[in-house]
Amino acid sequence: MGLGKVPRMIDTPRTRSAAHAYVDAAERRDWDAFAALLADDVIYDMPQSRERIRGKPAFLQFNREYPGDWHLEVRQIVADGRHAAAWLDSRVGDGSQPACVWIELSEEGLITKITDFWPESYDPPYDRSHLVERL
Amino acid sequence: MGLGKVPRMIDTPRTRSAAHAYVDAAERRDWDAFAALLADDVIYDMPQSRERIRGKPAFLQFNREYPGDWHLEVRQIVADGRHAAAWLDSRVGDGSQPACVWIELSEEGLITKITDFWPESYDPPYDRSHLVERL
């Protein structure tokens, strides 16, 4: 029961709601609702391609312009203080891909930092077939 | 302030500790400490390669046998009720790769489910250079 405990407990429900609202607004293409969740100086990172987008206008444009009839569904959202992680299923047509999204909120409850991972399928990197089953 | 609120608040610190201890025990190759965190029927999923490992003995062997002088470092851990997500940096020699690990605990506080994602680097899938900077 350290000193940081009370703020964390107050922040957590707000962060959890923001993470759900972020996915929901993107799925509905409700860009006004989406923008209202973001800090003006939001930073969006895609570490796999070493890309960064700075600021709400560019990040909104990136999402509006993202190609394909994509859809997002929440598998799991975990919120803890001003940090959250979302495990999403993303669908475009018949294809499906998971995403892991890390979100950080400001003191005011706006999203200031988003880090997206889009893990792609691959073959097992070495033979561990004595231990695993294939799904 | 729904009905699930009090159990979640009680579980969260325990889940957060278990997630940290899981990474720490693996990094130290302390397989006794690692095993003590796991339910006997733990399930370990690697969705990218569609692999599943069932049960503590096989999962311990998988970790003991994992090739390379790998090291793990926590970037972020978020815990929420009996669920946690860990964003790790994994290093083997000079190479570094992120991992996103989703953890679920039993009522008794043991890890029952682990889902690992190992996102690999790739080039931007389309041209968004009018919006992004490269890191």
Side-chain angles (χ1 to χ4, degrees):
Chain A
M1 304 291 277
L3 280 173
K5 181 97 186 165
V6 170
R8 195 198 285 270
M9 279 164 47
I10 293 170
D11 283 334
T12 295
R14 183 170 73 169
T15 304
R16 196 184 297 119
S17 296
H20 279 282
Y22 171 82
V23 179
D24 182 59
E27 170 61 20
R28 289 186 293 108
R29 275 57 164 175
D30 183 344
W31 303 119
D32 289 339
F34 192 80
L37 298 165
L38 305 173
D40 289 340
D41 58 353
V42 61
I43 288 179
Y44 176 72
D45 278 355
M46 293 173 278
Q48 292 170 273
S49 54
R50 308 174 70 93
E51 291 175 291
R52 168 169 290 178
I53 297 174
R54 289 180 190 271
K56 195 193 286 205
F59 184 53
L60 280 171
Q61 189 178 343
F62 170 77
N63 280 282
R64 283 176 184 274
E65 290 179 358
Y66 205 97
D69 181 27
W70 49 268
H71 293 279
L72 303 175
E73 201 172 331
V74 171
R75 282 282 289 267
Q76 184 90 54
I77 282 180
V78 184
D80 194 348
R82 288 201 219 133
H83 292 89
W87 171 3
L88 308 180
D89 278 328
S90 140
R91 281 182 299 107
V92 179
D94 290 337
S96 171
Q97 200 190 351
C100 296
V101 184
W102 297 82
I103 291 169
E104 188 174 338
L105 264 67
S106 69
E107 205 171 334
E108 294 73 30
L110 296 172
I111 296 173
T112 55
K113 182 84 194 286
I114 303 155
T115 307
D116 259 22
F117 292 100
W118 293 87
E120 300 197 304
S121 299
Y122 52 57
D123 290 326
Y126 67 95
D127 181 13
R128 49 218 184 184
S129 54
H130 56 303
L131 299 171
V132 310
E133 61 190 87
R134 300 302 293 279
L135 300 175
Chain B
M1 301 290 277
L3 279 172
K5 182 98 187 166
V6 171
R8 194 197 286 268
M9 279 166 45
I10 293 170
D11 283 333
T12 295
R14 182 169 74 169
T15 303
R16 197 183 296 119
S17 296
H20 279 282
Y22 172 82
V23 179
D24 182 60
E27 170 61 20
R28 290 186 293 109
R29 276 54 164 177
D30 183 344
W31 303 120
D32 289 339
F34 191 80
L37 298 165
L38 304 173
D40 289 340
D41 58 353
V42 61
I43 288 180
Y44 175 72
D45 278 354
M46 293 173 278
Q48 292 171 274
S49 53
R50 306 175 71 93
E51 291 176 290
R52 167 170 290 177
I53 297 174
R54 289 179 190 271
K56 194 193 285 203
F59 184 53
L60 280 170
Q61 189 178 343
F62 170 78
N63 280 281
R64 284 175 183 275
E65 290 178 0
Y66 204 97
D69 181 27
W70 49 269
H71 293 279
L72 303 175
E73 201 172 331
V74 170
R75 282 282 289 267
Q76 183 90 54
I77 283 181
V78 287
D80 194 349
R82 289 202 218 131
H83 292 88
W87 171 4
L88 307 181
D89 277 329
S90 140
R91 280 183 299 106
V92 179
D94 290 335
S96 171
Q97 200 190 351
C100 297
V101 184
W102 297 82
I103 292 170
E104 186 173 340
L105 264 68
S106 69
E107 204 171 335
E108 294 73 29
L110 296 171
I111 296 173
T112 56
K113 184 82 194 288
I114 303 155
T115 307
D116 260 22
F117 292 100
W118 293 86
E120 299 196 305
S121 299
Y122 51 58
D123 290 324
Y126 66 96
D127 182 14
R128 49 219 185 184
S129 55
H130 57 303
L131 299 171
V132 310
E133 61 190 87
R134 298 301 295 278
L135 301 176

